[in-house]
Amino acid sequence: MAKTKVTAEEALAFHLEPTPGKFEIKATVPMTTQRDLSLAYSPGVAVPCEAIAADPATVYDYTNKGNLVAVISNGTAVLGLGNLGALGSKPVMEGKAVLFKRFADVNSIDIELDTEDPDAFCQAVRLMGPTFGGINLEDIKAPECFIIEQRLKEEMDIPVFHDDQHGTAVICAAGLINALHISGKKIEDCKIVLNGAGAAGIACIELLKSMGAKHDNCITCDTKGVIYQGRTEGMNQWKSAHAVKTDLRTLEDAMKGADVFLGVSAKGAVTPEMVASMNDDPVIFAMANPDPEITPEEAHAVRADAIVATGRSDYPNQVNNVLGFPYLFRGALDIHARAINDEMKIACAEALAELAREDVPDEVDMAYGRKLSFGRDYIIPTPFDPRLIYRIPPAVAKAGMDTGVARRPIIDIDGYEESLKSRMDPTASILRGLNARARNAQSRMIFAEGDDPRVLRAAVNYQRSGFGKALVVGREADVKAKLEAAGLGDAVREIEVVNAKNTRYLETYTDFMYDRLQRKGFDRHDVFKLAARDRHVFAALMLQHGHGDALVTGATRKSAHVLQLINHVIDASTENGAVGVTALLHNGRIVLIADTLVHEWPDENDLANIAERAAGVARHMGLEPRVAFVSFSTFGYPVSERAEKMHLAPQVLDGRGVDFEYEGEMTVDVALNTKAQDSYPFQRLTGPANILVVPARHSASISTKLMQEMADATVIGPILSGVDHSIQICSTGSTANDILNMAIMAACKVG
């Protein structure tokens, strides 16, 4: 899988636009009328205030405390960047806050404290306790992080969790459970070597000891070698707790005969010789970031039997904290926990390990472009797994209830699981899945309109995101000037600029097109002019001849005109079965509308074809299709000639015996709202439709643009389906990000 490249300009632009920072606060109650304001503030707010003062437990009922976590840092150990201070750490803490929201629907606010004094830090956090349901400490240097966490745990009655320590430890433990399962070893018999005695390393070894690893079998090393009993140099009380009686002095000595290596240290700390000296079926967790202590390739070159995990997403078995902290807090918050204890962390690790041993859902396989199954290259679930949200928090909550830290135990665990399933935004996981599939496909993407700065930014982003090679149709000097104007001058060397002057295939292209068009009123000169001068035609010719894998166009010209030009080269018309499907993403829902591109006024047979094409697009996106043929009438009322074809189209599908749900004709509210569907008990949809087949292209255009302007829906499309090549046509109002989304669709061959 290609590595992603992020440039400084892109990173700054991402944080600057559309507004500075990464999140905002939104009201969850109406705030429009005077009455609303009276209820939200004075005098209405006095009632819950008095209720909470009388019974503090009701704070969880009347405020957001129960779903609010503070991400707190003083910036003394920011990522791998060192002590950047409180202000310098704010972008990271904002990022952590949005990860909480994205993965577990936990509201989170970042707080940066301008002090390196543990007493002052603890005092500040303790005094903020009433506001939050939990505290996530982040990027605080060792050993202060141990002092701070320990004190806050003792002084506060809500969970306090230092993710750099325990987040890594939990995922590491989950992976180790499965690695030992594969190698048939027991944790109490294993010789474990840890390199790196900072926050994460010590937390890892402590958690493994609480899971049964024996103290004398665990050798901890730091930059000065083995931490042995009697060592005085570079020691502190947290290291001393893991000192053992041993004659071993170096990491190299310790690795001989070891079953497990855990690295939270530095690139290259482990040599192939050290790996060769380990026991049979060695387990190597090389978690240094961004580069591991030893790469999987280097380890496997000397030991084919090694099970290797890293902190990197471009290798199998990624130890990724995002598998842990969102779900740990979700489970802890939902029982109004007083703490996150070892039992809850172990329950999280065991639930993750169990999930990796189960059959992997199709959408995860699609995202990775290969069949994942439990084994040496898959011992930890992937962050794409949609089951994480409803499998991990219940295990954490149950452990919290069993150990007496729950203020409000969950009675109906099955009901709790169901509520978690509906809690997450499915659109986010669909988009992430498409991104991963595009990265696996490594398509050479042809961007036809290299004269447009938006297209150029999308092309650069496509390549730097690791999706594949960007081929831009344009003039070199023009592309260079426009990239420089956009602050992306260094990208000129990365992308490939293609045009009629620098290709050696112009004659081949002309011959091909002349054969196609000579009986349609085009002479050889017309054809040559089209091939050499029109970038849409030239790009289509490149695609037709395999000189690129997919094509994105349409940002600079109306889609009907672009389709007409492409049709000179590739069959992409109504007669050939082409259909346009637009995806609308709004408030966690995804609805496809068809046909939004090709058919002006389809008849019932066309509508049935459109439904089948749209169902194919839905499945490509990981959705189970439910089609509604929509109109202004529902099942024959009011009577109208114009609605007749919407009534007949489902009958055409009846005759075809298709394998997806469909129904019609019906109004949009009946299609999308299950309560409205209840009025028609005979109708065949088992839930809200996710595909709306509309009567004509004008109604499709009105609906999508209305949703975009009034509801601020994300619009992806129209996605061109039913064409032999992967082509996507953007709309002229597309942003660089919209064009990139269309390129991702094209790379995944959606449609």
Side-chain angles (χ1 to χ4, degrees):
M1 213 185 280
K3 258 184 97 172
T4 304
K5 177 179 176 181
V6 175
T7 65
E9 305 91 8
E10 286 173 301
L12 291 173
F14 184 87
H15 285 78
L16 180 64
E17 295 160 1
T19 53
K22 290 192 284 263
F23 66 88
E24 63 181 11
I25 307 287
K26 279 189 176 163
T28 56
V29 290
M31 295 290 275
T32 40
T33 65
Q34 182 58 47
R35 180 177 166 74
D36 295 339
L37 300 181
S38 301
L39 284 165
Y41 202 58
S42 186
V45 77
V47 181
C49 290
E50 287 173 326
I52 293 166
D55 178 4
T58 59
V59 71
Y60 287 98
D61 299 315
Y62 302 128
T63 76
N64 65 9
K65 179 180 171 81
N67 193 36
L68 188 63
V69 165
V71 176
I72 305 186
S73 181
N74 61 0
T76 49
V78 179
L79 301 174
L81 306 169
N83 188 345
L84 296 186
L87 267 183
S89 74
K90 185 164 171 62
V92 180
M93 302 314 130
E94 280 188 5
K96 188 77 176 216
V98 291
L99 289 179
F100 266 114
K101 187 67 180 170
R102 160 65 187 86
F103 286 98
D105 194 26
V106 171
N107 293 324
S108 180
I109 287 179
D110 63 296
I111 293 172
E112 292 74 32
L113 297 177
D114 192 9
T115 179
E116 292 193 19
D117 173 8
D119 291 336
F121 190 100
C122 290
Q123 170 83 335
V125 177
R126 188 171 57 77
L127 294 175
M128 288 189 286
T131 311
F132 300 103
I135 305 288
N136 181 96
L137 300 173
E138 194 80 16
D139 290 358
I140 302 165
K141 71 180 167 65
E144 287 86 339
C145 62
F146 302 122
I147 301 166
I148 288 169
E149 191 195 41
Q150 191 51 43
R151 258 187 61 184
L152 289 174
K153 277 173 140 172
E154 289 163 8
E155 293 173 357
M156 298 183 80
D157 67 343
I158 53 174
V160 177
F161 183 85
H162 183 211
D163 189 45
D164 303 302
Q165 292 180 59
H166 311 296
T168 307
V170 166
I171 315 308
C172 177
L176 190 58
I177 290 168
N178 279 339
L180 297 181
H181 181 91
I182 289 167
S183 56
K185 296 178 184 179
K186 289 192 165 68
I187 194 166
E188 53 269 29
D189 303 332
C190 286
K191 181 181 169 190
I192 300 170
V193 176
L194 163 70
N195 195 44
I202 285 177
C204 284
I205 210 75
E206 282 180 350
L207 189 62
L208 297 185
K209 285 179 182 177
S210 65
M211 290 169 67
K214 292 207 166 76
H215 174 78
D216 290 339
N217 288 349
C218 298
I219 307 287
T220 302
C221 303
D222 61 11
T223 50
K224 297 184 169 53
V226 171
I227 293 172
Y228 56 90
Q229 278 183 15
R231 190 181 115 175
T232 53
E233 197 192 353
M235 293 295 284
N236 59 40
Q237 68 189 76
W238 297 278
K239 289 182 184 180
S240 298
H242 300 286
V244 287
K245 212 171 178 177
T246 178
D247 297 332
L248 303 171
R249 290 295 177 264
T250 65
L251 176 62
E252 194 176 358
D253 298 338
M255 288 286 270
K256 291 185 180 113
D259 297 286
V260 177
F261 168 78
L262 304 176
V264 266
S265 51
K267 174 186 180 177
V270 173
T271 64
E273 292 73 25
M274 291 181 195
V275 172
S277 74
M278 291 177 77
N279 201 352
D280 291 346
D281 290 309
V283 177
I284 298 163
F285 280 29
M287 299 176 286
N289 253 335
D291 296 299
E293 284 81 359
I294 186 167
T295 66
E297 296 93 337
E298 291 165 337
H300 286 132
V302 289
R303 291 298 293 272
D305 59 342
I307 299 171
V308 188
T310 70
R312 285 266 291 267
S313 60
D314 49 351
Y315 287 123
N317 301 329
Q318 186 193 11
V319 178
N320 188 336
N321 285 20
V322 91
L323 291 166
F325 71 84
Y327 310 111
L328 264 166
F329 270 97
R330 180 75 278 152
L333 290 169
D334 293 337
I335 55 170
H336 303 172
R338 292 185 183 86
I340 291 174
N341 57 29
D342 275 356
E343 289 82 358
M344 292 159 84
K345 289 184 272 188
I346 293 167
C348 180
E350 285 173 345
L352 283 166
E354 193 182 321
L355 197 58
R357 294 197 293 272
E358 292 178 16
D359 195 33
V360 178
D362 290 344
E363 59 261 50
V364 180
D365 287 335
M366 277 166 77
Y368 278 83
R370 61 193 169 94
K371 184 82 189 116
L372 294 172
S373 61
F374 180 60
R376 289 167 184 272
D377 282 343
Y378 177 68
I379 56 171
I380 305 170
T382 73
F384 290 103
D385 200 313
R387 299 169 298 178
L388 289 161
I389 182 63
Y390 62 86
R391 290 290 296 274
I392 312 305
V396 172
K398 203 170 171 315
M401 295 187 301
D402 292 346
T403 52
V405 297
R407 282 191 186 83
R408 192 174 298 183
I410 295 165
I411 309 303
D412 177 7
I413 282 280
D414 292 341
Y416 175 51
E417 273 188 38
E418 283 306 311
S419 74
L420 289 169
K421 279 181 190 174
S422 62
R423 187 152 200 157
M424 292 315 295
D425 175 353
T427 59
S429 56
I430 285 169
L431 291 176
R432 286 178 77 227
L434 287 167
N435 272 272
R437 279 164 58 194
R439 204 164 275 126
N440 273 306
Q442 289 298 302
S443 294
R444 294 166 301 158
M445 187 62 54
I446 305 165
F447 291 86
E449 299 150 310
D451 56 338
D452 189 285
R454 294 167 300 161
V455 174
L456 291 175
R457 289 211 308 278
V460 171
N461 205 335
Y462 179 84
Q463 186 152 317
R464 286 183 174 174
S465 298
F467 294 126
K469 185 77 187 154
L471 308 172
V472 172
V473 180
R475 298 195 317 278
E476 287 99 330
D478 183 46
V479 168
K480 187 172 189 293
K482 284 182 173 142
L483 282 173
E484 280 169 356
L488 294 168
D490 58 338
V492 176
R493 291 188 302 278
E494 296 168 34
I495 59 173
E496 190 176 324
V497 181
V498 194
N499 55 45
K501 275 206 179 82
N502 71 16
T503 182
R504 58 179 195 276
Y505 300 113
L506 191 57
E507 203 170 316
T508 311
Y509 292 170
T510 307
D511 291 346
F512 170 82
M513 228 163 91
Y514 184 55
D515 282 351
R516 259 180 82 86
L517 302 179
Q518 59 194 356
R519 291 177 182 274
K520 294 182 181 173
F522 288 82
D523 65 23
R524 196 171 175 87
H525 180 66
D526 297 332
V527 166
F528 177 80
K529 217 159 65 178
L530 264 175
R533 291 187 193 164
D534 190 286
R535 58 200 50 202
H536 300 93
V537 173
F538 183 82
L541 285 161
M542 281 178 69
L543 184 65
Q544 172 65 36
H545 288 81
H547 301 145
D549 302 313
L551 166 63
V552 177
T553 183
T556 61
R557 283 166 111 165
K558 291 273 189 281
S559 51
H561 187 61
V562 171
L563 258 182
Q564 197 183 340
L565 290 164
I566 287 172
N567 261 304
H568 289 327
V569 182
I570 290 164
D571 297 326
S573 62
T574 46
E575 301 78 43
N576 305 111
V579 166
V581 182
T582 295
L584 291 176
L585 283 64
H586 183 58
N587 282 351
R589 287 179 80 168
I590 183 161
V591 174
L592 307 183
I593 296 184
D595 175 358
T596 51
L597 182 65
V598 188
H599 290 79
E600 190 70 52
W601 181 252
D603 65 17
E604 58 268 28
N605 291 301
D606 296 327
L607 289 165
N609 294 340
I610 289 166
E612 289 196 64
R613 291 278 180 228
V617 170
R619 285 192 168 131
H620 263 158
M621 294 176 81
L623 295 166
E624 195 44 51
R626 277 197 293 273
V627 175
F629 292 90
V630 290
S631 178
F632 62 89
S633 57
T634 301
F635 302 119
Y637 181 82
V639 179
S640 161
E641 251 179 75
R642 295 180 82 75
E644 178 71 3
K645 63 179 185 176
M646 307 311 286
H647 173 74
L648 295 173
Q651 293 170 20
V652 175
L653 286 183
D654 290 343
R656 294 184 187 177
V658 296
D659 64 344
F660 54 84
E661 289 182 28
Y662 56 90
E663 189 55 284
E665 89 281 19
M666 55 175 68
T667 53
V668 170
D669 56 326
V670 177
L672 297 181
N673 187 327
T674 46
K675 283 197 170 62
Q677 287 174 359
D678 292 344
S679 307
Y680 305 93
F682 55 86
Q683 70 89 29
R684 297 175 287 190
L685 297 182
T686 59
N690 50 22
I691 298 170
L692 305 181
V693 176
V694 293
R697 205 168 77 206
H698 60 263
S699 46
S701 173
I702 292 164
S703 335
T704 51
K705 287 191 165 45
L706 187 64
M707 281 296 290
Q708 192 169 19
E709 290 307 315
M710 292 293 290
D712 204 20
T714 300
V715 175
I716 300 177
I719 298 157
L720 187 60
S721 172
V723 178
D724 288 342
H725 294 276
S726 190
I727 303 170
Q728 296 304 345
I729 299 174
C730 312
S731 61
T732 47
S734 297
T735 64
N737 201 44
D738 297 332
I739 297 164
L740 178 64
N741 279 336
M742 295 306 280
I744 288 165
M745 293 286 177
C748 294
K749 304 214 176 331
V750 171

